[in-house]
Amino acid sequence: QCLLSGTWRSDTGCRMVVSVLSKDGRFSGSYLPGPAAGGPEILTSDLEGTQQDTELFPQPTFSFTVHWQLQETARTTAFLGQCYVGTNGKETLHALWLMREAADSPTEDWKATR
């Protein structure tokens, strides 16, 4: 059974801590980007998400958002993935992300999503 509560580390050094996991699958915690994210201006940021019921789906899908704590701009990242349990019992998260940065105008919209 795959539970998101606890500390997770990505291949790039990002760290996610899920501190609250409720019975309905909602969770909250914090996210700290790794060195690949660049610059010391990125601080630990809050995250909020949800996962499928692990009693129905032992390897549940999940999603969460991070609203970055930045001084110069507003950014939000959405993560979508699945938690897998390997034959050795080790839990692994596989996720995709989409980040949106605030654009100054509609003409700048094309470069605001990564």
Side-chain angles (χ1 to χ4, degrees):
Q1 183 173 335
C2 204
L3 295 174
L4 292 180
S5 58
T7 300
W8 299 87
R9 190 173 305 277
S10 76
D11 295 340
T12 60
C14 298
R15 193 177 71 216
M16 175 176 80
V17 178
V18 176
S19 54
V20 177
L21 181 60
S22 66
K23 292 184 186 219
D24 67 356
R26 295 177 194 215
F27 61 89
S28 61
S30 59
Y31 193 91
L32 180 63
E41 72 279 359
I42 301 178
L43 305 172
T44 299
S45 300
D46 295 335
L47 66 83
E48 297 284 333
T50 186
Q51 75 170 27
Q52 289 178 312
D53 186 339
T54 56
E55 290 184 23
L56 298 174
F57 306 98
Q59 300 188 110
T61 60
F62 62 87
S63 65
F64 65 92
T65 56
V66 176
H67 299 283
W68 299 102
Q69 301 291 331
L70 300 168
Q71 294 177 0
E72 77 282 351
T73 187
R75 288 184 192 161
T76 299
T77 303
F79 293 81
L80 180 65
Q82 186 169 357
C83 186
Y84 293 99
V85 179
T87 55
N88 61 358
K90 183 179 178 183
E91 298 170 326
T92 305
L93 303 182
H94 288 240
L96 298 172
W97 57 269
L98 186 65
M99 184 172 69
R100 177 65 188 211
E101 186 171 29
D104 293 330
S105 69
T107 57
E108 298 292 314
D109 189 65
W110 66 272
K111 65 179 183 178
T113 301
R114 299 181 214 173

